[in-house]
């Protein structure tokens, strides 16, 4: 099944100031997440972001925070974002069935959020290059478990090209000219 931008919601999970430096390849993860957010913004795909206990882990890293809409950031204490009532309500209000997931840590908060949202009936797409864990093996194990449960593992270009659908449009030309590597 193709990803439809009119049915998509981007969920950025816990890429926070005090946790990010410990993530393997953290700059690559942050850059990939920023790239996805920039494309989503240009295509009017809604974005939500979570922060796990920001008093202890800090807020979303600046390179991503500057891309987030004003009301996008929601605090959480549960590892699964979907267990938080306010986050679950926001996701429900947006009426999108395809959730695009970015964030950290792949084997903890990303995994638990994805499993809960799959159980709730959503289609989940996890952007491999925009998720991370402290240990690369833990990232791979988290991705494998999500895939076994029914999530689709994608990369950022798969996502963008599926959202764009066609090369001949003005939207494609505008976004492709600003393509970030």
């Amino acid at each position: 099944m193709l990803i439809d931008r009119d049915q998509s919601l981007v969920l950025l999970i816990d890429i926070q100031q005090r946790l990010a430096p410990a993530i393997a390849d953290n700059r690559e993860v942050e850059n990939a997440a920023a790239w996805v957010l920039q494309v989503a913004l240009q295509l009017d795909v809604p974005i939500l972001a979570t922060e796990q206990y920001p008093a202890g882990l800090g807020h979303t890293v600046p390179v991503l925070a500057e891309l987030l809409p004003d009301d996008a950031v929601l605090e959480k204490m549960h590892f699964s974002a979907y267990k938080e009532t306010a986050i679950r309500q926001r996701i429900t209000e947006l009426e999108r069935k395809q959730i695009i997931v970015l964030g950290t840590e792949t084997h903890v908060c990303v995994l638990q959020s994805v499993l809960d949202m799959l159980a709730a009936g959503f289609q989940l797409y996890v952007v491999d290059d925009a998720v991370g864990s402290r240990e690369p093996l833990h990232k791979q194990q988290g991705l494998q478990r999500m895939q076994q449960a029914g999530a689709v593992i994608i990369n950022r270009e798969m996502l963008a090209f599926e959202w764009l659908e066609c090369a001949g449009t003005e939207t494609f030309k505008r976004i492709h000219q600003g393509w970030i590597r």
Side-chain angles (χ1 to χ4, degrees):
M1 172 178 295
L2 291 174
I3 304 166
D4 180 349
R5 70 181 181 216
D6 295 326
Q7 289 300 317
S8 294
L9 158 68
V10 174
L11 180 61
L12 173 69
I13 298 175
D14 306 346
I15 301 183
Q16 293 167 250
Q17 294 165 326
R18 292 194 190 107
L19 176 60
I23 301 300
D25 301 318
N26 68 309
R27 292 288 181 230
E28 290 84 355
V29 171
E30 291 171 25
N31 289 339
W35 191 91
V36 170
L37 294 178
Q38 290 170 338
V39 174
L41 288 167
Q42 291 182 61
L43 295 175
D44 296 320
V45 174
I47 299 167
L48 294 177
T50 67
E51 293 179 345
Q52 176 77 28
Y53 181 59
L57 295 176
H59 292 286
T60 302
V61 297
V63 69
L64 301 176
E66 68 187 18
L67 297 170
L68 297 173
D70 291 336
D71 64 344
V73 179
L74 301 161
E75 290 185 20
K76 68 184 187 67
M77 289 299 289
H78 289 93
F79 297 121
S80 169
Y82 203 69
K83 287 201 184 317
E84 298 288 343
T85 302
I87 296 170
R88 196 170 50 251
Q89 287 175 340
R90 287 288 297 281
I91 290 170
T92 302
E93 288 167 5
L94 289 167
E95 297 181 343
R96 303 290 178 119
K97 65 181 181 181
Q98 296 179 333
I99 301 179
I100 314 305
V101 180
L102 328 168
T104 60
E105 283 193 76
T106 309
H107 67 292
V108 184
C109 295
V110 172
L111 171 69
Q112 291 185 33
S113 299
V114 166
L115 294 178
D116 280 343
M117 290 183 284
L118 282 168
F122 292 98
Q123 297 168 20
L124 273 292
Y125 297 87
V126 180
V127 183
D128 184 316
D129 36 349
V131 296
S133 292
R134 288 166 289 148
E135 297 291 332
L137 177 61
H138 295 169
K139 174 183 173 175
Q140 292 310 314
Q141 291 167 331
L143 288 170
Q144 183 179 23
R145 185 164 173 208
M146 288 183 274
Q147 189 170 37
Q148 289 170 342
V152 180
I153 310 304
I154 61 172
N155 63 53
R156 63 186 174 179
E157 286 200 3
M158 288 174 170
L159 175 64
F161 281 106
E162 289 179 38
W163 276 348
L164 289 166
E165 297 184 84
C166 180
T169 67
E170 289 304 314
T171 302
F172 177 84
K173 291 175 189 173
R174 184 181 72 247
I175 290 174
H176 192 261
Q177 287 174 350
W179 221 251
I180 299 169
R181 296 275 175 216

